[in-house]
Amino acid sequence: MAKKTIRDIQVKGKKVLIRVDFNVPLKNGVITDENRIVEALPTIKYVLEQGGRAIVFSHLGRVKDEADKAKNSLEVVAKRLSEHLKQHVVFVPVTRGKVLEDAVANLKNGEILMFENTRFEDLDGNKESKNHPELGKYWASLGDVFVNDAFGTAHRDAASNVGIAANISSTVAGFLLEKEINFIGGTLENPKRPFVAILGGAKVSDKIEVIQNLLKIADKVLIGGGMAFTFFKAMGYEVGKSLLEVDKVELAKELLIQANGKIELGDDIYTGKAFDAETKKNVRNIQSIPADEMGLDIGPRTIAIFEKFIQEAKTVVWNGPLGVFEFPRFSEGTKSIALSIAGIKNQATTIIGGGDSAAAVIQFGLSDGFTHISTGGGASLEYLEGKVLPGIQCVDDK
Ligand code: ADP
Ligand code: MG
């Protein structure tokens, strides 16, 4: 379903509520990765350039007690945002009340304010996270139109997304949300073929619904990472000390039958004796994993098999690292596959959805090699599962 975007409405002179995802990692009060701020800039700049009055807000971390409030203030983010915009951002250190209302009333066209962490409201009965109707209604009353640009929280029903949308006449997608809808939603709806899905990460149990959904849509599903071992076990192989979910072996058997040859697991792996960056690296056929070793990366033949499928693909969707890429010695599989996908950039739509997979590609310096790297971890996972995300559903249809 096509959704309205910020281009479909007039913002000049309007009080524009903009829900962004500024849930950035902080270490001792310092932002360690500002990607989410950078990604939100196009929407904010557009509103300001068009003469709108921007009222920006986000959640940051979890807020369970007063100490969390001090740790998770958005003030440092407002400062960084103002540096990026080269414009003053009025920071309002509360989430409601006269101070906020006065600041909104004082905004002129082309000016911007940001108020405090929406989850400060969670101290009072989880009003934000549980979407208390009074809160969404209150925030909606502060603005004329609502722009949702927070894909990272689109899988949650919060007061600051669906709560506001339910109480305002116009809700549209910002540029970032639009991009996620077009690339993930659009690709799953209508992929160019062959469509190769690549799934990895730690556990089958985290990804069952993604596997099931992509098995329906993709032409080939390549599986690596920790979850591969539950499949190997289902095929009758011993997996040594590798990650194994015993209670998911039956499910893996069913998925293999259902897949009817669509699932490709390769046939060798890199192993080590310990879950340790320094452990010695061996190559093993999957039929002969020693009892005292664990699989920590896909093997060289498997890399080559996966690469063959990737080279012919017109669409690639990738979720989950193929090995323990955090250990340089076991990052070869994930890195080779990232390079291989980057190599088909000109002929295919290539998408990464998944927090750790995105982090891996960014760490390898290969982000430019992809059509789209999703900004949402949990949200992209649920989107790939084929679920309707409340934060997208609440946006007006075209
Ligand atoms: P994403 O965030 O991209 O969805 P996951 O959270 O599902 O990915 O999984 C990421 C984690 O999976 C990484 O920390 C990685 O170390 C781990 N992993 C990958 N392969 C293995 C393996 N063979 N054994 C143990 N852990 C693995
Ligand atoms: Mg993860």
Side-chain angles (χ1 to χ4, degrees), residues 38 56 95 186 203 228 234 242 252 258 272 304 313 330 333 360 381 396:
V38 174
V56 175
T95 50
K203 297 197 313 209
S242 308
Q258 201 181 310
F330 296 97
L381 196 64
D396 298 343

Side-chain angles (χ1 to χ4, degrees), residues 96-375:
R96 64 164 78 216
K98 188 163 181 328
V99 173
L100 174 57
E101 289 150 28
D102 287 349
V104 170
N106 287 333
L107 269 189
K108 299 194 181 61
N109 294 0
E111 290 184 351
I112 170 169
L113 74 75
M114 184 161 132
F115 65 79
E116 227 345 329
N117 184 352
T118 54
R119 286 199 182 151
F120 279 23
E121 294 282 344
D122 281 351
L123 280 184
D124 180 17
N126 288 315
K127 283 204 166 100
E128 154 72 333
S129 296
K130 292 256 158 73
N131 185 19
H132 192 289
E134 173 264 331
L135 184 57
K137 194 167 174 189
Y138 171 71
W139 281 334
S141 76
L142 300 174
D144 301 313
V145 292
F146 178 36
V147 178
N148 188 17
D149 209 21
F151 179 70
T153 36
H155 58 316
R156 302 254 161 80
D157 277 282
S160 63
N161 55 14
V162 299
I164 296 175
N167 288 287
I168 203 159
S169 58
S170 175
T171 299
V172 298
F175 296 126
L176 181 57
L177 188 66
E178 180 192 27
K179 212 161 74 174
E180 301 278 3
I181 295 173
N182 286 346
F183 281 120
I184 305 187
T187 298
L188 295 182
E189 244 168 65
N190 192 14
K192 280 178 275 163
R193 298 185 182 279
F195 172 11
V196 174
I198 307 170
L199 298 175
K203 297 197 313 209
V204 179
S205 50
D206 290 339
K207 307 275 169 92
I208 295 168
E209 287 166 88
V210 178
I211 304 174
Q212 282 169 330
N213 192 43
L214 292 179
L215 270 179
K216 279 188 275 179
I217 309 171
D219 300 297
K220 201 81 200 173
V221 177
L222 314 178
I223 295 183
M227 69 158 91
F229 299 98
T230 302
F231 285 93
F232 288 138
K233 185 79 180 172
M235 292 159 80
Y237 305 130
E238 290 310 321
V239 299
K241 292 194 292 181
S242 308
L243 258 193
L244 172 67
E245 288 172 274
V246 176
D247 61 330
K248 293 288 176 286
V249 174
E250 276 311 307
L251 174 80
K253 274 186 198 165
E254 279 164 37
L255 288 171
L256 285 167
I257 294 168
Q258 201 181 310
N260 198 16
K262 238 188 217 185
I263 290 181
E264 175 62 57
L265 291 144
D267 63 2
D268 64 349
I269 54 159
Y270 284 118
T271 65
K273 279 200 161 60
F275 193 83
D276 186 310
E278 302 303 320
T279 194
K280 185 172 169 287
K281 180 173 168 180
N282 312 301
V283 194
R284 306 289 182 201
N285 295 328
I286 48 157
Q287 297 92 333
S288 50
I289 303 176
D292 63 343
E293 292 182 10
M294 64 183 79
L296 295 172
D297 196 7
I298 52 172
R301 279 202 313 271
T302 302
I303 293 173
I305 294 168
F306 284 9
E307 283 176 344
K308 236 181 95 250
F309 288 108
I310 293 165
Q311 274 151 20
E312 275 157 26
K314 291 277 184 297
T315 303
V316 174
V317 170
W318 181 14
N319 171 278
L322 299 164
V324 185
F325 74 95
E326 297 91 337
F327 300 162
R329 198 168 281 181
F330 296 97
S331 64
E332 182 184 329
T334 305
K335 192 167 182 181
S336 306
I337 295 309
L339 275 167
S340 168
I341 302 172
I344 59 161
K345 200 192 167 183
N346 295 330
Q347 68 188 53
T349 303
T350 59
I351 296 172
I352 299 187
D356 293 293
S357 351
V361 165
I362 292 164
Q363 183 192 307
F364 300 146
L366 290 172
S367 356
D368 287 345
F370 291 79
T371 316
H372 180 63
I373 300 182
S374 176
T375 50

